[in-house]
Amino acid sequence: MSSAGGVQARFQLDYPGFSLDVDLALPGSGVTALFGHSGSGKTTILRLMAGLERSARGALHINGEPWQDDTRQLFLPTHRRDLGYVFQEASLFTHLTVERNLVYGMKRVPAAQRQVSLNDAVELLGIGHLRQRMPATLSGGERQRVAIARALATSPRILLMDEPLAALDLKRKEEILPYLQRLHDELKIPVVYVTHAPDEVARLADHLVLLEAGRVVAQGPMAELLTRTDLPMAHGDAASALITARVSGHDAAYQLSYADFAGGRLSLTLGPPAMQGHAAEGRTLRIRVQARDVSLTLENQQCTSILNILPVTVTDISDDSPGQVMVGVDAGGTRLLARITRKSADALALAPGKAVYAQVKGVAVVG
């Protein structure tokens, strides 16, 4: 295995009824999502990276630093691996305040080697007002934010997150997602994020690894894999595409932001207060557009409530479900998906190469 930059991981592991055989090449910064059904091997890979389990045949390099190489009988135990690990449950020390939980996480790192200060971790997760609180008084989302801050306070070379939102209800998930997006934007270390929730993958990940029964089905840049109609994520109710755009302005009166990309301009509703800085003018914004929120028309409609109308070209059409198709379109080099009825596709005589317009409601665009 090459010891080049990024995360290079190769593991083979055999259990009764399950075997894992993966070879991963992940970016050295940003968020990589391990995605798949229960039993696909996601958490096992995380535990192998952490040294909590050992593969008899494996190798792991983190940005050039070897943590495991069985050809050289090299295996760093967990306590010697500079990593942060966030579990489904926050697992805070219930007898310590939030402040003392965070300080505990820093103790294992010599002062001269600390790259993330306590104040940095607190600010990034927005928990300054919680520092003197006890864990029992926190909501589930607040506890997870503290757990993430504690992991960051160890100045890790890599952050491993095992379904950190799985134990939260929808309201608490929406509370914490903006802070996870801030991690995505501001951390300069690799984050490996395990989930089986497509919406989390679309909102957070730069790189995607699709797993099934202990094997890699596909791995690569998120925007490319998300819209590949030969892969399962491009079908069903959660199918979506990503647009990278630059914030060009705001309309405070209507609570709208404007973002430009090669395919045109998008209007979207302003996010929650925690994300206002993220949407500052001039900032790059990653926008998720769900296939179910995209309709197609042959003409540029004028008298309509839909704010986003983009000229696009049909690239491909595939079956999605009985009576429905998934239409891939190109918008200035960015690929979008439109989930429409087969009747509509026939009525519009859609075919690869045909010029049409994609319509997206402003309230449906998630930035």
Side-chain angles (χ1 to χ4, degrees):
M1 171 179 289
S2 167
S3 59
V7 178
Q8 311 288 323
R10 187 180 68 248
F11 299 119
Q12 292 178 296
L13 189 66
D14 293 309
Y15 288 133
F18 175 77
S19 68
L20 180 80
D21 188 349
V22 297
D23 193 345
L24 306 175
L26 313 180
S29 64
V31 178
T32 292
L34 304 184
F35 179 82
H37 297 295
S38 296
S40 61
K42 306 183 299 297
T43 295
T44 300
I45 292 173
L46 230 58
R47 291 178 59 82
L48 287 164
M49 286 182 170
L52 296 172
E53 294 190 38
R54 182 165 183 175
S55 166
R57 295 153 302 193
L60 175 64
H61 293 82
I62 306 297
N63 284 322
E65 180 180 325
W67 287 6
Q68 178 178 349
D69 189 340
D70 289 317
T71 64
R72 298 158 49 192
Q73 283 71 55
L74 169 67
F75 182 85
L76 292 184
T78 300
H79 70 272
R80 291 183 56 198
R81 301 187 182 200
D82 295 331
L83 60 88
Y85 204 124
V86 180
F87 298 89
Q88 291 185 24
E89 298 291 342
S91 301
L92 301 177
F93 295 111
T94 57
H95 64 292
L96 300 179
T97 64
V98 166
E99 176 93 11
R100 293 180 65 193
N101 265 279
L102 297 176
V103 170
Y104 183 90
M106 298 189 73
K107 286 182 178 179
R108 57 174 286 195
V109 185
Q113 298 178 23
R114 292 174 186 167
Q115 300 179 34
V116 179
S117 72
L118 185 63
N119 287 337
D120 287 341
V122 167
E123 192 281 328
L124 192 59
L125 276 301
I127 57 173
H129 62 296
L130 304 176
R131 293 174 81 146
Q132 302 310 314
R133 298 263 297 275
M134 300 299 290
T137 69
L138 305 179
S139 70
E142 289 170 339
R143 285 195 296 272
Q144 275 299 59
R145 283 155 60 191
V146 173
I148 296 168
R150 185 175 64 179
L152 292 179
T154 65
S155 296
R157 297 283 306 277
I158 186 171
L159 180 61
L160 308 177
M161 306 184 77
D162 189 3
E163 301 203 55
L165 305 186
L168 304 179
D169 59 28
L170 181 60
K171 182 178 179 180
R172 300 308 177 195
K173 285 184 180 182
E174 290 302 319
E175 168 195 320
I176 197 173
L177 270 168
Y179 295 98
L180 294 181
Q181 287 176 283
R182 290 185 67 182
L183 295 183
H184 165 273
D185 291 344
E186 299 183 29
L187 283 185
K188 303 304 179 187
I189 62 171
V191 179
V192 182
Y193 188 99
V194 163
T195 183
H196 63 273
D199 60 324
E200 293 175 34
V201 173
R203 290 179 68 169
L204 299 174
D206 306 290
H207 194 84
L208 179 63
V209 178
L210 290 175
L211 294 163
E212 185 175 329
R215 302 296 187 271
V216 175
V217 176
Q219 61 178 312
M222 179 68 194
E224 294 180 12
L225 267 60
L226 194 63
T227 58
R228 271 182 49 182
T229 52
D230 61 324
L231 297 176
M233 290 195 69
H235 296 278
D237 198 50
S240 58
L242 296 178
I243 297 175
T244 300
R246 185 173 297 277
V247 179
S248 56
H250 302 285
D251 187 336
Y254 289 108
Q255 288 291 289
L256 290 173
S257 291
Y258 303 108
D260 297 333
F261 74 114
R265 166 169 288 191
L266 289 172
S267 301
L268 60 156
T269 53
L270 292 171
M275 295 300 294
Q276 293 303 305
H278 176 74
E281 192 166 341
R283 290 288 300 272
T284 297
L285 195 63
R286 187 166 73 161
I287 299 167
R288 179 187 176 205
V289 178
Q290 294 188 278
R292 67 187 182 194
D293 293 324
V294 179
S295 63
L296 301 176
T297 177
L298 299 181
E299 298 180 359
N300 188 346
Q301 304 296 323
Q302 300 299 318
C303 298
T304 174
S305 65
I306 297 177
L307 295 178
N308 300 305
I309 303 177
L310 305 170
V312 299
T313 303
V314 175
T315 58
D316 56 279
I317 303 172
S318 59
D319 292 336
D320 187 63
S321 63
Q324 298 182 350
V325 296
M326 192 67 74
V327 183
V329 299
D330 179 87
T334 295
R335 180 171 166 81
L336 300 177
L337 296 175
R339 185 182 181 204
I340 64 175
T341 64
R342 189 180 305 278
K343 179 178 181 179
S344 295
D346 288 344
L348 297 176
L350 297 182
K354 186 162 187 170
V356 296
Y357 291 87
Q359 303 181 123
V360 189
K361 287 184 177 181
V363 294
V365 179
V366 180

